[in-house]
Structure formats: structure tokens, C-alpha cells
Amino acid sequence: MAIAGGIAAYKGAELVRLLKKQGADVRVILSRGAREFITPLTMQALSGEPVHTELLDESAEAGMGHIELARWADLLVIAPATADVIARLAHGRADDLMTTAALATAAPVAVAPAMNQQMWANAATQENLILLTQRGIQIIGPDQGEQACGDVGPGRLLEPAQILQALQSRFSSRQLDNKKVVITAGPTVEAIDPVRFLSNHSSGKMGYALARACAEAGAEVTLISGPVHLSPPDRVRLLSVTSAIEMHDASIQEADGADLFIGAAAVADFRVSNPAREKIKKNAQPDLTLTLVENPDVIAAVCQLARRPTLVVGFAAETSDLLSHAREKRVKKGLDLVIANDVSDPHTSFGSDQNAVHLIGALSEQHLALASKQVIAEKIVSILAERLSEPAAASS
Ligand code: PMT
């Protein structure tokens, strides 16, 4: 939880108390401005944890550094968030601990604005808020009424209990309690020789966001991941694999009897039939011909399991005729649902932080508009959890 400098900082203190009462572990970031209104000692007493104030502070970095802090959080709440903090977040600045943590965290971010009504109404602030919303940041409030400066209008920080209520959906989502979920993510890497390989641009972001959302919804999650540069979310069991064959074998073993299988990985369709044992020398032959053989289809094999997961969900990465290709894939592979994404659009492609998807079932289709991959993942998980709770709905 981060508190920016404003007269409403004292309400941030009350919010920390309420979050602790709900059983949350809370670590507080106090901006320099906030320390004019409220002391680190107060926040330490309320949170029961050391308070973080500076981006580059030797003693703090020796304990929990700013990146660790950003990774530790399941949710970052900035309350109050001033017009200045909102502007810096909108423009991706990392000039203090609060904005750096917001950039460095993979967790959802929620912002509760508090400012003078004229600053709130200013076009710059409103445009900044639109940017934040498009990136999936939750905006909570503000309230209307009399302000500390004597003005009347929108811009007051919501009461801490109201902010808590807005955040509660994130804590109380236990829609997947007691469910076993298996997710594949990232690329597969197919060896040509000991130093060269065939692969693709998948970063793993979509699959890891899904793993995080499932774990937050209470599921027991196994994430089968190709090589990526991401840390596994908390409470997720990671199985690292390299090739499509390894991903296939791990998936068959883990998906057996699972409740939900999600194939977000970009599995290489082909591998080199006979990878060289030694590095292939450039001058050994004028042309190099690689013979490729087809890899097993991981998700189609999962659909064939005797103890098939109740719900098997694939992704379709398409560059043209998105919906028709995706519909065909759903039927051909025997999936309950396919999630189509357009990878020709840089906003929704491999490696991007955002996605926009179509969920395609046998009887119904649904569009989720552009948002951060984490927000898209949370929406997908909520839809899947609902389907899982109605057994007949698996095929809808
Ligand atoms: O990782 P990111 O950078 O965040 O990017 C996300 C993503 C674009 C990789 C992801 O959203 C996505 O679309 N994943 C599926 C990519 C893909 O390989 O699509 P496909 O249309 O080729 O495959 C369809 C489905 O079959 C997928 O669920 C895939 O996991 C599965 N498949 C494909 C081939 C194969 N041999 N085995 C499989 O299981």
C-alpha cells in the first residue's frame, strides 16, 4: 500500500488498519510528501512492518529492496493518489519508490485519487486517468463534497471502508477453491544442434497472468513453462520444460484428473528430426537442409485422456481470419473453449503487456476488450470458474 502526499494521507492510515483487520499482510510505502502529513512510525505501528520511504536507501535495499517489494505484493493500492502521482504513473515515470514499485510489479494496481476539484476536472488529469484505466489499473473514487481547501466538488478520497469494499472482490474471489488447474505457458525450444534452436516470441506473460489469477482464486496451480524470463507467481508449482515433447509429457502427467487445463503456450509445431550432437560447422556444407517432423499436439492429447480435465481451454494465436480459424481449432482439437487473440496487432501480440480476446465455446462467444494481460486473465478465470460450477456448461 502506498500513500502519497495530501491532506487525505491520514485516511490511508485507517485503510492500512482495515486491511490488517481483514488478515492482509501490508507493507507501506510513504512518499516524501506523505511524510509531511503522517509519520513512518505511525505506519510501522499500524502495519507491523518496516515502512519503505526511499527508492535508493542502503539499509532498505539490504532488507527488502524495491524490486523484491514489487514482486512480493499481490496487490498495490495507492491511497491517496495525488494528481501528480497519477500523472507520473500515466507516463511510466519511476522517479520515486511508489512509481517504481507500480512499474515493477506484476500484481494488479488500484488507485484512489484525492485532489482539489479543479485539478480533478482538468483535462490533463482526466486523460491520465483514461490511460491508467486502459492499462487495467483500478480507479476507486473519488468522492464528492466539501474539500479541505474550501471548494466543493469531486476529488475527496473515498472513506477507507468504501475503498476496502472496492478492493474486497480481489480478496474474496475464491471461485476455484479445491480445483486443480494445469496451465502451459511460454514458447518451446527445439534444438538444431547444441547451440542453435527453433522457437518463437512467446514471453509467457499471458500464461503466467492466468496462473496468478487461478492461484488468487484459490486453485492448486501447476504451471508448465517453456524458457521465459519471468518469476512464477506465489503459490504456483512451476515445472520448467524446454521442448514440445517435454511439455507434452509433463502435461499428460499433470492434466490427468485435473479440473481445468489451459494451453497458453506457443508450442512449436515442428522439431528437427535429428538434432546434431556437435555444433554444425559453417563450412561443412554449402547449403544446410533441416528435416522437420511434426511435434505431438499437447492440448489435443490432453483432450484424449481417459480422465480428461472437466474443462480444456486452448488459445488460438492468429494473424488473419481470427474467429473462423479459432473456431476450426476448437473443433479439431476437441476443446471446450478456445481463446482467440490477434497476434498481428502489436498491442495484443507476443511479449505485449496487454491483450484483447474472444472466448469461443460451442454455443456462445464473448469478447474481452483491450486491457492488461493480468486483467484479461482475471476475467477469463472468473468466466471459467463459473462454467466449472455448472457441470453441463463445459460444452457451452
Ligand atoms: O506468451 P505471451 O508473449 O504473453 O503471448 C501470449 C500468446 C500469444 C502466446 C498466447 O496468448 C497464445 O495465443 N498462445 C497460443 C499460441 C499458439 O501456439 O497458438 P496455436 O494457434 O498455434 O495453437 C492452438 C492451441 O494448441 C494452443 O492452446 C496451443 O498451446 C496448443 N498447441 C499447439 C501446438 C501443439 N503442438 N500443441 C499444442 O498444445
Side-chain angles (χ1 to χ4, degrees), residues 40 50 57 65 72 99 102 131 146 175 221 304 321 387:
D57 168 344
W72 170 85
T99 49
L131 275 178
E146 200 173 326
Q175 291 173 293
V221 185
Q304 297 301 319
D321 299 323
R387 290 197 176 206

Side-chain angles (χ1 to χ4, degrees), residues 184 186 201-207 263-269 295-300 313-318 329 333 335 339 341 343 348-352 355 373:
T184 65
H201 295 296
S202 171
S203 63
K205 286 178 186 172
M206 192 66 245
V267 187
D269 287 322
N295 270 324
D297 193 307
V298 176
I299 205 162
V313 179
F315 271 76
E318 304 295 345
K329 272 182 192 163
K333 293 178 188 247
L335 310 175
I339 300 174
N341 43 192
V343 290
T348 59
S349 188
F350 294 97
S352 71
N355 209 352
K373 282 186 173 166

Side-chain angles (χ1 to χ4, degrees), residues 186-198:
T188 66
V189 168
E190 313 296 329
I192 296 173
D193 68 13
V195 298
R196 302 180 181 93
F197 57 83
L198 300 174

